[in-house]
């Protein structure tokens, strides 16, 4: 029996246009490299969203109109760095709420609870490890109103169809009056966007090539990492930033766990990730298409990023 990583790698590398799903970029090493990406000055997304969540906390709280106590459920919380200021504001203002961070990484959740218990002793934190689906089901039954957080432009990593089904899943598992605060990276000068992903330090390249290292380790493959490079392309019309691994020569790779060999042509591409950029009109359309009402778009001062507040009526 193949596990799903094995099955997905098999499907992606057998396709005419080769691809590997971006969710597999985040093994322990990949998650560490992603932290490095978020610390690069060129990767403006993190700072922009941090600014919104630190400077507009009062406005976010005021637009919730929730009775207390309420829940803040953060989907894919990671290190919780961006959310800290919002939580701090609420705790200092004696607002009664439960913080429920959700992540697939148990390590990340353990670390986050430890840090938050120390830095914000008054916080009621109930971390959950698992996929969104199971945990969201519980939200539907909760007697308290909930604010769901889906930050960091994570939605940008989903194709249009997958973004719609994920948002519909959120919608189905929300109660009437629940809110969703969702982070969108906005369309902007294409050079700024390209620089955030095609960094001169080679960090994003390492992030992508780590996927081949992971396949070598977990599926007993023999990718020679130096024979691959990284490329990305931004299309300012569609807002799609696409990342690729490039095979620098014609070569064949054996993947033992798949009992298969795969041929890569000279300069052949393996598509690894979509990072879609939105404009405010598209955000509005997406809210409507998935049954939400858009309450407000909160932008940073440079208008690079939007945390948009949606409501289930
Ligand atoms: C997690 N996600 C929103 C990041 C993005 O911008 O698409 C992942 C990433 N890939 C390369 N740099 C950052």
């Amino acid at each position: 029996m193949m596990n799903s990583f094995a099955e997905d790698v098999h499907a992606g590398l057998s396709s005419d246009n080769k691809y590997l799903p971006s969710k597999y970029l985040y093994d322990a090493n990949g998650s560490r490299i992603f932290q490095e990406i978020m610390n690069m000055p060129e990767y403006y997304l993190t700072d922009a969203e941090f600014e919104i969540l630190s400077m507009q906390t009062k406005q976010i709280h005021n637009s919730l109109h929730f009775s207390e106590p309420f829940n803040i459920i953060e989907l894919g919380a990671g290190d919780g760095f961006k959310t800290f200021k919002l939580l701090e504001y609420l705790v200092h203002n004696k607002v009664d709420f439960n913080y429920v961070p959700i992540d697939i990484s148990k390590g990340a959740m353990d670390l986050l609870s430890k840090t938050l218990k120390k830095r914000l002793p008054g916080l009621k934190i109930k971390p959950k490890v698992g996929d969104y689906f199971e945990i969201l089901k519980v939200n539907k039954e909760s007697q308290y109103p909930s604010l769901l957080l889906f930050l960091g432009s994570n939605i940008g990593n989903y194709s249009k169809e997958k973004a719609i089904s994920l948002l519909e899943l959120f919608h189905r598992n929300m109660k009437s009056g629940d809110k969703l605060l969702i982070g969108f990276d906005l369309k902007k000068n294409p050079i700024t966007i390209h620089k955030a992903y095609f960094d001169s330090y080679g960090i994003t390249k390492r992030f992508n090539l780590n996927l081949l290292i992971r396949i070598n380790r977990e599926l007993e493959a023999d990718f020679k990492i130096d024979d691959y490079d990284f490329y990305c392309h931004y299309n300012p019309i569609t807002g799609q930033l696409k990342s690729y691994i490039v095979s620098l020569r014609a070569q064949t790779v054996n993947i033992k766990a798949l009992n298969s060999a795969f041929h890569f042509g000279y300069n052949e591409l393996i598509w690894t990730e979509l990072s879609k950029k939105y404009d405010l009109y598209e955000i509005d359309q997406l809210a409507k298409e998935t049954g939400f009402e858009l309450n407000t778009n909160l932008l940073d001062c440079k208008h690079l990023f939007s945390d948009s507040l949606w409501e289930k009526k």
Side-chain angles (χ1 to χ4, degrees), residues 26 34 37 43 45 152-154 157 197 204 207 273 275:
Y26 303 89
F34 182 54
I37 290 180
Y43 194 73
L45 292 79
S153 180
N154 286 335
N157 298 130
Y197 292 83
T204 313
F207 181 58
E273 190 176 43
S275 303

Side-chain angles (χ1 to χ4, degrees), residues 8 20 26 46 51 53 67 105 114 132 140 161 165 170 183 193 251 264 285-286 296:
D8 291 346
L20 290 167
Y26 303 89
T46 317
E51 183 208 300
L53 295 176
S67 58
S105 157
K114 214 172 121 195
Y132 304 156
K140 189 104 208 199
E161 301 69 47
S165 34
F170 292 174
I193 293 180
Q251 50 193 320
F264 297 85
Q285 288 301 308
L286 191 59
T296 169

Side-chain angles (χ1 to χ4, degrees), residues 52-167:
I52 298 169
L53 295 176
S54 350
M55 308 295 283
Q56 303 188 53
T57 35
K58 195 170 174 189
Q59 196 187 337
I60 296 172
H61 180 220
N62 288 343
S63 19
L64 293 178
H65 306 293
F66 279 168
S67 58
E68 293 180 25
F70 60 84
N71 306 309
I72 295 186
I73 303 175
E74 182 166 5
L75 304 154
D79 69 358
F81 166 75
K82 289 185 290 278
T83 329
F84 183 77
K85 288 280 170 190
L86 176 64
L87 301 175
E88 186 184 51
Y89 171 87
L90 297 173
V91 170
H92 287 173
N93 283 282
K94 308 229 164 356
V95 176
D96 187 6
F97 71 103
N98 298 306
Y99 175 52
V100 187
I102 306 176
D103 206 280
I104 33 166
S105 157
K106 183 170 183 312
M109 285 306 86
D110 289 346
L111 189 65
L112 180 63
S113 334
K114 214 172 121 195
T115 324
L116 285 179
K117 276 181 187 148
K118 216 191 263 158
R119 290 186 67 190
L120 278 181
L123 179 72
K124 290 194 276 179
I125 171 168
K126 299 181 176 156
K128 302 253 189 283
V129 177
D131 65 39
Y132 304 156
F133 182 68
E134 287 303 315
I135 293 152
L136 281 176
K137 265 202 310 214
V138 180
N139 176 55
K140 189 104 208 199
E141 266 81 67
S142 166
Q143 52 178 319
Y144 305 127
S146 300
L147 166 67
L148 267 58
L149 302 177
F150 193 52
L151 303 175
S153 180
N154 286 335
I155 193 71
N157 298 130
Y158 291 79
S159 67
K160 174 119 205 260
E161 301 69 47
K162 291 208 169 119
I164 288 178
S165 34
L166 184 68
L167 293 167

Side-chain angles (χ1 to χ4, degrees), residues 206-265:
R206 260 200 291 131
F207 181 58
N208 279 266
L209 295 187
N210 176 59
L211 189 44
L212 302 185
I213 300 177
R214 178 175 185 179
I215 298 175
N216 278 353
R217 187 182 58 244
E218 293 184 24
L219 303 178
E220 296 171 83
D222 58 4
F223 279 105
K224 294 190 186 68
I225 309 304
D226 289 346
D227 285 343
Y228 298 85
D229 203 352
F230 167 70
Y231 176 71
C232 70
H233 174 258
Y234 178 59
N235 179 338
I237 312 291
T238 61
Q240 292 185 322
L241 181 299
K242 289 187 173 180
S243 299
Y244 302 91
I245 291 171
V246 187
S247 171
L248 293 177
R249 57 188 188 88
Q251 50 193 320
T252 299
V253 172
N254 289 296
I255 307 186
K256 248 198 201 165
L258 303 183
N259 231 333
S260 309
F262 296 90
H263 181 73
F264 297 85

